Amino acid sequence: RFFAGGYNFLKAFLLRLLTNCLVKFLEEFFLDFLGDYCIALMEDSKVSIEGGSYYVPYKLDGTNYTLWAKCLEMHIKGKYLWGFIRGTSIPPTLKLTKIENGIEKQLDGVERQNAMNEYYKKLDDWEAKNSRIKEWIYGSIEPRIAQNLMYYEKASEVWEYLKGMFTQKDMAR
């Protein structure tokens, strides 16, 4: 009896192990394949960014949206900045009130100044990251396309505009 229960446990364990290994292999294979494909398409297209560079496999020209988007997505996710595209990394908000004994009160003096300093520090950080992503996008698309993007403030807005503009065209090919 003990052996039969052990056998079922071992069978379930091996099945789970094989499933996990297969999933991991497929994920790595496709990421490696797509990453290698992106790298193989590199020309002299290096977008210089303060503190480093991003190699753009090729510029978005209106006919290659899907592959362009996937290559740039991998780069942005690799920098842990995908929330800016997803729209979940949002600018901070300034809060100049506090709750004291169940009553909301305005901050004053040093507390107010500290709250403002903290807010501007967070805002500067958010704006720098958002701008970096927009720089990667602008540097990896044809100038005629970039002209349409100058009024968007958030990287997520730029991404959604391009997605809406080129997804249907790219799928038709």
Side-chain angles (χ1 to χ4, degrees):
R1 288 212 119 151
F2 175 75
F3 183 72
Y7 173 76
N8 287 334
F9 171 78
L10 183 59
K11 189 168 95 175
F13 173 77
L14 289 174
L15 182 61
R16 179 170 286 177
L17 180 65
L18 286 173
T19 303
N20 288 342
C21 288
L22 181 61
V23 168
K24 183 78 171 156
F25 169 77
L26 290 174
E27 285 176 349
E28 288 183 14
F29 173 78
F30 283 111
L31 282 177
D32 285 346
F33 172 76
L34 190 54
D36 290 346
Y37 186 65
C38 290
I39 290 168
L41 294 172
M42 286 182 193
E43 303 167 348
D44 292 327
S45 52
K46 182 177 176 183
V47 177
S48 294
I49 311 281
E50 184 177 329
S53 298
Y54 166 58
Y55 286 96
V56 181
Y58 48 87
K59 290 190 180 274
L60 173 64
D61 62 10
T63 65
N64 56 356
Y65 172 78
T66 302
L67 188 56
W68 169 86
K70 187 51 78 176
C71 289
L72 195 55
E73 176 185 336
M74 287 189 300
H75 177 74
I76 295 169
K77 284 182 174 180
K79 300 293 184 184
Y80 301 98
L81 297 172
W82 189 247
F84 284 82
I85 299 298
R86 194 182 320 114
T88 54
S89 290
I90 57 174
T93 55
L94 178 60
K95 184 175 180 186
L96 296 175
T97 59
K98 65 180 178 180
I99 305 295
E100 212 173 77
N101 297 326
I103 301 170
E104 187 174 32
K105 294 185 176 185
Q106 293 290 322
L107 296 178
D108 56 359
V110 173
E111 284 182 318
R112 181 180 182 85
Q113 190 60 48
N114 288 342
M116 290 177 67
N117 290 342
E118 185 65 24
Y119 164 75
Y120 285 116
K121 180 180 173 190
K122 288 179 181 179
L123 181 62
D124 287 345
D125 181 60
W126 186 90
E127 287 177 337
K129 290 175 181 174
N130 185 64
S131 293
R132 184 177 311 132
I133 295 167
K134 286 173 43 182
E135 184 179 12
W136 291 333
I137 294 171
Y138 294 165
S140 66
I141 60 179
E142 294 290 331
R144 65 180 168 75
I145 298 170
Q147 291 174 355
N148 299 324
L149 306 175
M150 62 196 322
Y151 298 106
Y152 291 105
E153 292 294 321
K154 295 179 182 177
S156 60
E157 296 168 341
V158 173
W159 191 268
E160 286 303 312
Y161 174 82
L162 292 171
K163 183 178 177 182
M165 181 175 225
F166 294 111
T167 300
Q168 295 304 321
K169 289 180 189 177
D170 208 27
M171 294 289 225
R173 294 185 188 279

